[in-house]
Every structure is written in C-alpha cells, then in structure tokens.
Amino acid sequence: MGVVDSPAQSIGVLGAYFVKTQLSEWVPVDIGRQLASQHRHIWVRLSDTSRGDNWQATCRDCLCHCQVIVPGSESEYRCIDQDGHHFHGTFSPTPSNGSCTGSTHCCKCGLRVTGVLRVPVLQPELVRSLERARVSPHSHHPTQGMRDLFSTVSTLFKITKNACNGDIRPIKTDSEKPRMLLKFDVPCIRLLEEGLGFELRLGNEYHPPAGVNGRLERARDELGLIAARIQRKLPESERLPGFLLEYESERLGRWLGAHAYERRQQQMGLAILSGSGTAIDDAYRRLGVPEDASDAVVAWAYRRQVEEDPETVGPLAQRRYDCLSTIAAVRTSSGELIALVDSERDRGLVASAAVQAACAALFGDAHLDIGAVDSDMLREVFLARLGETHKTQAKMELAAHLAILACAKCDRRLEDYAAEVKLGIETQVAERVNTWVQLPVGLTNIGNTCYLNCMLQCLFSLVPIREAVLRFGDGSTWNEGCELGRRDSGRMLAEEEVRRALKFVALLRALFESLVNRRAEAWSATLAKESGGYPLAMGSPMFPVVTPDRELADMLLTAPSDGQPTQARAGLQQQDVDECMAQCVSLLGHALPPSADNSSWIEQLLAGHLEIATTGGASQGEPPRRETFVNLSLNLPMDSQSADINECLDRFFEPTEIASDSRIRSSRVVDAPPVLCIQVQRVQFDMEKMMAFKINSHLRVRSQISLTRFTGSGTGDLGVEGLKRRLASVDRRLDTLALPSDGSDVLEALGRVQAFMEGVEKWAHLDAAHELLADLPGADVRGTAETVSTLVGSLASTLSDARGRWAQEREETAEEIDRVYDDVVVDSMAYTLHAVFIHSGMTPEFGHYWIYIRDYHKEHGVRWLKFNDSNVAVVDKDEIFRVGPGGFANPYYLVYARTVDLDSTVGI
C-alpha cells in the first residue's frame, strides 16, 4: 500500500510518488474493507466550490476527504534539488475520531507536510439503499431510474448547501415539490436523519442541524460528488454545469513542486515477468518513484536509499536490489539501469524472486537454501530435469534457472557451464520460433532505399522464392556451376551475367539467413527474459534489425547495359519499386540452370499471359497475339479523388479504340500466376510542362478480387455496370446542387437569401422605413420580402428532401456494388491480398515507401504487419482497407496471391 503504521519505517520517496501514489493509496482500514483491493483515490472537487489556503479534495469513488497542510503561505514549494523533494514519513490507515493522520518531511530542503484523511460522512449503505430504491423500479428503462436518483440527490445537495449557508428553513414533507423530488421514502428519510442529521418536528417538518457544522459541510461535498457521478450516466444534454468535476492531483503536484522530475521520453520494452503486475508496482513503490520517472531518476532513488541505509547485505539491501532488477527487466532498453544491476550483482546481489523461482523449478522448493546445495548436486539435478522435457522453451527456462543459481552461489565454473548449455539450446531454438509472438525483423535504410527494403521484405514473404534462395549451394536449384545456355528474350546470357546473378542470389541468401537467425535470436532473448523475471538476456536485441549488404543493394539499383554490368556507384539513388522488382526477377532468372525450353519456376510463380486482339480497319482477320505479364499496370481516373481496384481492373480490360485508325483493342486473361502483382500507375507525364507528376487519388484495395470475368469464358461482368451508371446518374444530380460560379452549395446560398429577405422584412417594419417607403408609392417591400422568403424556403425544402433521397440512393447503390465485388467465388482466378506497397509524397521524385504484409496463423487468424524500414509493427486492417482519401500516402504496388494456393505461396 505504501502506507504503514510503523513509525520506524521511513523509506524515502520522490515528491511525485508521494502525490501520485502514496496519497492515492492512503485508505482508512474500515473503508478499505468495503472497497476493491486495488482501490486508488481519484481526488476531485466540484468546479463551483472555493479552495481554501491548503490543498483539499475528496475521492470521487469512496468519498474520503483529504487535506494537505504545509506551514507558510507560498504559492509553490519547490525543492532545492532539481528532481524534487525526497520525502520520509508515515501515514497511518487507522482512523481516530473519524480521521487518519500522517506527516512527512523532505531530507534535502526540510519541508514538512501534514496530511489528514477523513472517512466519509455518508455511509455507503445509505447511498446504495437510495440507489436501489430509485433505479430498481425502472429496470426496463435504466436512464429514467438515473434521472430519479439524480433528482433526489441533487435536491438533497441544494438543501444541505443552503443549510451550510445559514438557511434554517425546514423541509415540509407534505409540500408538493419536495415530495415529488424526494419522495420521502425510507431510504431518503434514513439519509436525511442518519446521514445529514436533519430532525423531524411536528410530524411533517425536517429541520437542519443548528450552527456551523463541519460534518454537514463534508456531507454537502459528498452529495455533490455523488450527484456528479450519477450525472455522468445521463445524456449530455441533461447534465448541469454545477456538478462538473475538477481533478486536483495535478494542482497538488504543482503546489509541492513535485512535477520537476525528469520523465521517460518513451515507453519501451517488454514487461514479461512471472506473476502479475503487482511485482512491478511493488518495485516502484519500494524505490519511491513514479512509473514515468526516467532511468536516471530511478537510479538516483536507488543510490539515495543505499546512502541512507548503507547496509550492503541483509533483507533491506536484497529487497532494494530485487526492485531495481524488476524495473530494469521491464525497461529492456535501459542501459543505465542494466549497468547498475550488473554492478550490484558483482557485489554478490542476486534477485531473490529469481532465486526462488529457480529453486522451485529445479528442486520443487522455492525456499530451499541454495547455499547449502553442492554445485555437483545442482548440476546433476539440472541434467535430470533437462532430460525430462522435450520442449525448447522449457529447456531455455531450466538453463536460465541454472545460471541464476550459479550466480547466487558465486560459482564461476557453474556460470560458464550454464552459458554453454544456454548457447546450445539457442542453436536449436533457431529452428522453432514462435512467429506469432516474435515479429519479423526490420531492415536498415542505407540511403534512400526504403523502396528496396519493401521489395526485399516482400520477396522474403513469398515462400517459393525464400525457400529456393535459402537452398542456394545445394547444386540443383541454382546454376552454381555457371553452365551457359540460359536465354533472356532470345539472347544467350554471357558468363559474366550468370556469375553476377549467382553473386546476387548468394548475397540474397545471406540476407534471408540473417532475417531468420536474428528473429530466432530475439525469440531466444524473449524466452530467457521469461525465466523467473530475471534479466539474463538484456544484451540481446528484443527488436532486431538487419542491414542489407551494400553490394546487394547496388546490384538491384544498377541495371546492366548491353549485357555488361556497370560499375557499382558510390551512392544509392532513388529508384522505383516496379523497376527494382523487375531487376530482381531478372537476376533470379539468370541464376537458374539452363533448360531445353528455357522455362523457370520464377516465371511460373510470377508471370501470366494475356491474349490481345485487335479488330476493325487493317487488322480485320489478324489472329490474337499472346503477351506475358509480370505485373498489371492499372491507371487511375484523372477526374476522381477516389477509385476502386475493381473499377481499375474493369477499365484495364475494357475494349479501347485506337484513335489513329478506329481499330478496337481488347484483351483477356489466358492464365494468371499464383502471385499476381499490380502496379498502380501514379506517375504520369505532363506534355505541356514536360515534367512528371504523381496522381495522389485514393485507391480502395480489396482483400479479395477475381479475374474470372476477364477470361472471356462467357461469365461476363459482375452485373455492376448498371449499378455504376445509376451511381453516376445520382452523382450528377448531387453535383447540380453546386453553383457554377464558385462551386458553393445551392442550399447554403438559398439559406443566405432567405435570411436576407427575412432581414428586409424586419427592416420594413421599422418606423424609419415606413417614412422612407411612404415617398415611394407602390413599393410593397414587406410583402415582396415575405413572398420571396416563403418561395425560397419552399425551394430549399424541396431541394433538401431531394438531396436526402439522392444521398440515400447513392449509399444504397454503393453498398450494392460493394456486395457484388466482395462476393468472390473461390476458384483458380480468385486472389487474396498479400502485400501493399505505400508511397507517401506529393511528387514522384520525393517521398517514402513502406509495405503492409498479411500474416496468417492457423491458430490466431489474420493480422497485418507494417514494415517501415527498421520498424515492424502490427497494425489495424483499417490502415490498408480505408474507404476514403487520406492524404499523400497511397497504394503504389499490390501483391495478390491465389486464394487456393495461399499456404504454399506466401507466409512470414
């Protein structure tokens, strides 16, 4: 609790901890028994109550009243130390005459602070009884029950407030309004008499207590907070400003100068400890620091307590070290705390919780005296336990427990043995990583290579490519013997081209192996940190990163000329994703062994075929030609801010007229690859300005698409053409509601006209206007204004109704189109979205790339991962599938996988 009865205990706590935790956990014993075990005060006051000279507030939930008293009249009490006060004191939870007291002083500046905590005047049972009486009759309509409860409590608050201000008029039980508001049933009468001290006289009058009564004032404040608590459950329109709350902890912190300490810049690391978060909370409590304190402040608090209690061994020193170890284990990125833990361990301190967990795991007795156990016996027990399990995680935990006990025994030989065992187990772990818990590895940006990192992550996620690259050197998958005979577009590849391609695959294998191994290392570190909450593997990277080889990057960014590779450039320049992907596919193909038909599994994985037919004019009677595609290049509409991937596919395959001779060009899908890549043609060229520009229109991607309707198999379109025409018609009608002059809304303009004519009508009623208009015979300004206002209002109403109908029709039509597009029949032409390359930037020359990749686990389902160079994170799918425009970050390149082949084609 951080609050004790013993006056001998005076552990120093930071001023911020005193404000945020110590006062919040100071709960009277009797009240604590009626509350949840983890109750913490939330100090508030009603916004319209006045503040006294000292700080005082009431708990919003339990209604305990707290007052903090500091001698003097300063507006702020800052400590001479930059990190704030270091308080020593006790705060008793045992009440005397309804109050608990406590005091503390700062060991640095001498400031003394006194606290008084008063139990609530209104007993919780009285309040709960009234709540049941008002809410239970309205079980079918809870809000009405809350209205009745609020009416009673707020009325009691006003009556009590008036009594505190000297209004001694009685409440008459037979008066209509009090009876309607209070009802005067048993729960209300008990609250009046037992809680507020009102006295019944003459059988029908309740009189308030006489004179100034501190108890009644506290009851008034408690009623106000109860009313504020009830009001939060009412509709916002029914809430009264007099029952708004102000939160007071921040004000106390400013008053005591407790917010001056250094805070953590960001919350990092994994809090994987045995047990619940209670151990972590207790660690901060024992060192007397708030959870957001910086590592330097935590280290300072630890050293300060060591200075105040220089005992190097013993229960207090051990407990301090346990707390420091726990916090360091949670803050995995804290080098300063890790160094402090290590230096203290060199003095012979070992976290007792870790020792107990290790003893329990190996010997079944958490309280075993490990010092009395022989090292050879310990090793034999460890080997016996190791032989009893076949699970890697369990073996890792046993090795970690052995290392802890070796350290506790100060046995260097046993420590070395534990390290060797751990290394052997980690080698096995590399083959069995929990890929759902341990996220994939990020890639370092080595200079304008964000697009390259995206492509490499995408290649790694394509199972056939990843497995083939990792098999490089087996002598069969790739052309390691550099045998000539493979062709590219009919041309025989030169030996130097083959060697360059093999070098590329070798470098790619090294990168893929690093991605696998670094993920396994991180998983090993995670398992080690789970062993008893002891930070054995703090030096291991929990969020690993791999840096791509510069030669590998240069190979993808430097295209060979006339079959000869160019020299590597000193700096890497920004290229395009599709260019980089094409270069990668080319190099992989060049590294394959030659074959009679020059076929390749890479082409079978990524390439499909279209049949292009041209009819009309001189082309009449010509046979269709067959074209290979590695990606489909889809254009975005120039006249729209948003488009759908299905609309772009429809536009790509619809017949087009060749302007030069009126021929019609059409295409259909002959066969589609297991992995379908789609390039979104955002970069266009302005012939007038002679410069490239980027189209930043939003593209709505779909999790499922189908190419069946483009095969020419007689299935036709999906039936959306009629829906699209209806949608376009509705959009044209909605567009007519904009003024042609400036595009402003017609209804808004009509509203302005109506308001103007109403103003003219009012003006015409003025005496001055009568005199002016008398000289203008026949000028019926008032009647004309009234007529125009009526006509304009009628027109506006008609157009508003029409707009509502059109908008509804548009929404229903759009939803129907969505249903058609989303109803994908799973066949050989059905695809599931696997990866989305995003380009963020206004122009094609500048910007940043990242990629989203779909991750599927048979037990956990589907999630989406965002690979942003070195950062990898799980994201909400709405980031990928948003419906409307969202700035300059847009899908640039899409990768779909054939739905029936997902398990064998993609995976990370």
Side-chain angles (χ1 to χ4, degrees):
M1 286 292 294
V3 181
V4 296
D5 276 313
S6 173
Q9 182 173 350
S10 57
I11 297 172
V13 300
L14 204 67
Y17 181 85
F18 168 73
V19 172
K20 293 183 175 181
T21 304
Q22 201 165 28
L23 282 182
S24 297
E25 296 181 350
W26 188 19
V27 180
V29 174
D30 294 341
I31 300 298
R33 295 192 185 104
Q34 305 175 43
L35 302 171
S37 59
Q38 300 298 322
H39 175 72
R40 293 172 67 111
H41 298 304
I42 300 175
W43 301 117
V44 298
R45 71 175 187 89
L46 289 179
S47 58
D48 63 347
T49 57
S50 60
R51 294 189 174 100
D53 294 334
N54 294 299
W55 180 88
Q56 53 185 329
T58 305
C59 176
R60 184 192 67 187
D61 299 320
C62 75
L63 302 179
C64 284
H65 181 83
C66 184
Q67 184 177 17
V68 174
I69 304 168
V70 179
S73 58
E74 300 292 331
S75 59
E76 189 171 319
Y77 293 90
R78 281 186 173 270
C79 185
I80 57 175
D81 190 281
Q82 64 176 3
D83 289 319
H85 302 288
H86 197 238
F87 286 128
H88 298 256
T90 58
F91 289 83
S92 172
T94 304
S96 175
N97 296 324
S99 298
C100 303
T101 58
S103 63
T104 187
H105 73 280
C106 177
C107 62
K108 292 180 286 185
C109 69
L111 179 71
R112 291 193 171 274
V113 177
T114 302
V116 179
L117 184 68
R118 296 183 177 89
V119 299
V121 171
L122 303 179
Q123 293 299 315
E125 174 53 33
L126 295 179
V127 178
R128 287 194 292 268
S129 177
L130 182 66
E131 290 177 352
R132 288 193 296 268
R134 295 294 179 271
V135 176
S136 297
H138 300 284
S139 57
H140 62 288
H141 195 338
T143 302
Q144 184 57 46
M146 285 297 161
R147 289 191 183 102
D148 287 356
L149 179 61
F150 179 74
S151 175
T152 298
V153 174
S154 60
T155 302
L156 289 174
F157 168 77
K158 294 173 185 176
I159 292 171
T160 309
K161 182 178 179 181
N162 292 338
C164 291
N165 293 334
D167 187 348
I168 60 173
R169 289 177 297 174
I171 311 168
K172 294 188 177 183
T173 59
D174 52 3
S175 295
E176 181 180 357
K177 189 170 183 180
R179 177 166 292 278
M180 178 183 67
L181 296 173
L182 298 178
K183 302 187 186 305
F184 292 109
D185 51 0
V186 173
C188 178
I189 291 174
R190 286 190 62 198
L191 195 56
L192 271 171
E193 295 178 351
E194 300 175 29
L196 303 179
F198 278 62
E199 181 182 352
L200 180 63
R201 300 176 187 173
L202 303 178
N204 66 341
E205 293 182 355
Y206 274 103
H207 290 257
V212 178
N213 190 326
R215 184 180 184 280
L216 189 63
E217 290 177 344
R218 294 203 308 275
R220 171 202 61 196
D221 295 342
E222 292 171 17
L223 283 170
L225 295 182
I226 295 171
R229 192 167 61 198
I230 298 167
Q231 182 174 250
R232 288 185 299 171
K233 300 179 181 179
L234 296 178
E236 191 170 351
S237 60
E238 299 180 21
R239 299 176 187 175
L240 302 179
F243 295 103
L244 299 180
L245 299 179
E246 291 188 4
Y247 293 82
E248 292 293 285
S249 289
E250 284 294 319
R251 189 173 70 88
L252 177 61
R254 291 192 300 270
W255 188 46
L256 294 181
H259 294 334
Y261 66 98
E262 180 183 349
R263 291 168 171 78
R264 300 181 73 190
Q265 294 301 313
Q266 54 183 339
Q267 304 297 319
M268 300 178 65
L270 295 174
I272 304 179
L273 297 175
S274 61
S276 65
T278 305
I280 303 171
D281 296 337
D282 186 65
Y284 285 110
R285 180 179 295 110
R286 180 59 181 78
L287 294 185
V289 292
E291 293 185 18
D292 62 348
S294 68
D295 298 337
V297 172
V298 174
W300 174 87
Y302 177 82
R303 294 190 181 100
R304 182 73 181 182
Q305 289 193 9
V306 171
E307 292 173 5
E308 295 170 351
D309 176 26
E311 180 183 301
T312 56
V313 294
L316 290 179
Q318 182 63 57
R319 188 179 177 194
R320 272 198 307 267
Y321 180 73
D322 289 345
C323 295
L324 179 67
S325 300
T326 300
I327 296 174
V330 174
R331 300 185 178 192
T332 55
S333 62
S334 172
E336 182 173 0
L337 294 184
I338 294 171
L340 182 56
V341 168
D342 291 341
S343 66
E344 293 292 273
R345 188 165 58 238
D346 291 341
R347 296 198 298 115
L349 289 171
V350 182
S352 58
V355 173
Q356 292 175 3
C359 288
L362 292 176
F363 294 93
D365 183 1
H367 302 288
L368 178 71
D369 181 6
I370 193 62
V373 178
D374 180 74
S375 294
D376 291 337
M377 173 64 72
L378 177 56
R379 187 184 310 212
E380 291 178 9
V381 172
F382 166 74
L383 290 175
R385 293 287 182 268
L386 199 65
E388 294 173 357
T389 181
H390 300 287
K391 294 184 178 180
T392 302
Q393 182 171 347
K395 291 181 179 180
M396 286 289 297
E397 291 174 352
L398 288 172
H401 291 318
L402 178 64
I404 291 169
L405 297 181
C407 183
K409 291 179 64 64
C410 298
D411 188 328
R412 181 60 63 182
R413 291 180 57 190
L414 193 59
E415 288 185 45
D416 294 340
Y417 173 74
E420 292 176 4
V421 173
K422 178 174 176 287
L423 180 62
I425 297 174
E426 285 177 347
T427 304
Q428 299 175 3
V429 170
E431 301 176 1
R432 293 189 292 274
V433 177
N434 188 328
T435 56
W436 188 261
V437 176
Q438 182 61 55
L439 294 181
V441 179
L443 293 173
T444 305
N445 190 321
I446 58 176
N448 292 330
T449 56
C450 50
Y451 59 100
L452 173 64
N453 289 343
C454 293
M455 190 209 67
L456 292 173
Q457 294 283 14
C458 183
L459 285 178
F460 184 80
S461 71
L462 301 180
V463 174
I465 292 179
R466 180 174 71 238
E467 293 181 348
V469 169
L470 291 174
R471 288 197 303 270
F472 182 79
D474 63 1
S476 59
T477 306
W478 304 94
N479 187 17
E480 290 93 338
C482 200
E483 181 182 355
L484 299 182
R486 177 157 287 279
R487 296 177 176 274
D488 186 358
S489 301
R491 177 182 61 83
M492 182 78 71
L493 294 175
E495 181 179 351
E496 189 172 0
E497 290 179 276
V498 176
R499 293 191 181 279
R500 182 173 185 267
L502 292 171
K503 176 66 173 178
F504 168 74
V505 179
L507 293 171
L508 193 60
R509 182 192 66 176
L511 176 70
F512 283 7
E513 286 177 343
S514 295
L515 291 175
V516 173
N517 293 335
R518 294 286 281 176
R519 192 175 188 182
E521 292 170 7
W523 177 240
S524 299
T526 300
L527 294 182
K529 290 187 70 62
E530 290 178 341
S531 57
Y534 189 72
L536 286 176
M538 285 184 175
S540 300
M542 304 301 293
F543 305 99
V545 177
V546 169
T547 300
D549 188 280
R550 186 166 289 273
E551 184 179 1
L552 171 68
D554 197 70
M555 280 186 166
L556 290 172
L557 305 176
T558 308
S561 175
D562 298 326
Q564 300 298 322
T566 60
Q567 296 296 321
R569 296 167 296 173
L572 302 179
Q573 300 177 354
Q574 183 80 19
Q575 299 294 322
D576 217 343
V577 169
D578 57 318
E579 296 172 354
C580 195
M581 180 70 81
Q583 178 71 347
C584 179
V585 172
S586 175
L587 287 168
L588 291 174
H590 290 178
L592 293 173
S595 61
D597 59 356
N598 209 51
S599 62
S600 77
W601 59 265
I602 297 175
E603 182 176 338
Q604 295 171 4
L605 178 70
L606 299 175
H609 298 91
L610 299 177
E611 183 182 89
I612 311 298
T614 306
T615 58
S619 299
Q620 194 69 30
E622 289 184 3
R625 55 187 174 87
R626 186 184 177 103
E627 284 188 359
T628 301
F629 69 90
V630 177
N631 61 58
L632 297 177
S633 298
L634 304 185
N635 289 316
L636 290 169
M638 302 288 289
D639 56 349
S640 175
Q641 293 297 311
S642 183
D644 190 290
I645 182 65
N646 281 294
E647 296 173 359
C648 295
L649 284 169
D650 290 340
R651 191 175 292 108
F652 178 88
F653 284 99
E654 70 183 4
T656 56
E657 182 178 353
I658 302 176
S660 58
D661 54 2
S662 300
R663 289 180 298 168
I664 303 297
R665 180 184 181 276
S666 61
S667 60
R668 73 176 187 88
V669 177
V670 177
D671 56 74
V675 177
L676 174 66
C677 298
I678 297 177
Q679 180 192 358
V680 183
Q681 292 279 50
R682 292 193 176 276
V683 179
Q684 302 290 340
F685 194 83
D686 191 330
M687 297 300 295
E688 294 182 1
K689 298 181 180 179
M690 297 302 293
M691 62 181 295
F693 67 96
K694 178 190 173 188
I695 301 174
N696 278 301
S697 302
H698 168 66
L699 176 66
R700 182 180 180 185
V701 299
R702 299 276 180 170
S703 61
Q704 306 281 333
I705 62 171
S706 174
L707 299 183
T708 300
R709 65 186 185 278
F710 308 122
T711 60
S713 59
T715 56
D717 73 303
L718 295 176
V720 298
E721 292 304 317
L723 295 174
K724 289 180 181 178
R725 287 192 294 270
R726 186 200 305 171
L727 192 65
S729 173
V730 174
D731 284 339
R732 284 193 297 271
R733 279 178 277 167
L734 290 171
D735 290 341
T736 58
L737 296 180
L739 294 174
S741 57
D742 58 359
S744 60
D745 186 72
V746 169
L747 289 174
E748 293 179 0
L750 290 174
R752 291 193 294 271
V753 171
Q754 187 177 14
F756 174 79
M757 298 312 297
E758 289 174 353
V760 171
E761 184 180 355
K762 292 178 181 178
W763 171 80
H765 281 82
L766 299 177
D767 294 337
H770 278 295
E771 296 176 4
L772 177 64
L773 296 175
D775 298 331
L776 300 173
D780 185 11
V781 175
R782 186 192 308 171
T784 301
E786 182 177 356
T787 301
V788 172
S789 177
T790 301
L791 291 174
V792 169
S794 177
L795 177 60
S797 177
T798 301
L799 290 178
S800 178
D801 292 342
R803 169 183 280 178
R805 293 194 305 273
W806 297 339
Q808 183 178 357
E809 183 180 357
R810 190 192 191 287
E811 181 179 355
E812 292 173 353
T813 305
E815 290 176 353
E816 192 170 352
I817 293 175
D818 281 348
R819 284 194 295 271
V820 173
Y821 280 146
D822 290 338
D823 187 19
V824 175
V825 177
V826 178
D827 56 20
S828 62
M829 289 293 172
Y831 287 83
T832 297
L833 184 64
H834 170 64
V836 181
F837 291 71
I838 299 291
H839 178 264
S840 177
M842 295 182 62
T843 66
E845 294 84 8
F846 303 98
H848 179 63
Y849 284 94
W850 65 83
I851 185 172
Y852 298 103
I853 298 181
R854 180 182 181 271
D855 184 21
Y856 171 76
H857 192 280
K858 62 181 180 181
E859 294 181 5
H860 302 286
V862 175
R863 66 179 177 181
W864 282 88
L865 301 179
K866 180 180 181 179
F867 294 79
N868 189 354
D869 287 335
S870 59
N871 297 318
V872 181
V874 180
V875 298
D876 192 287
K877 65 179 182 179
D878 290 340
E879 278 193 34
I880 298 95
F881 299 106
R882 58 185 172 86
V883 176
F888 300 108
N890 317 108
Y892 192 89
Y893 201 89
L894 309 176
V895 179
Y896 281 85
R898 185 181 288 150
T899 302
V900 296
D901 299 326
L902 273 178
D903 292 342
S904 60
T905 305
V906 295
I908 53 178

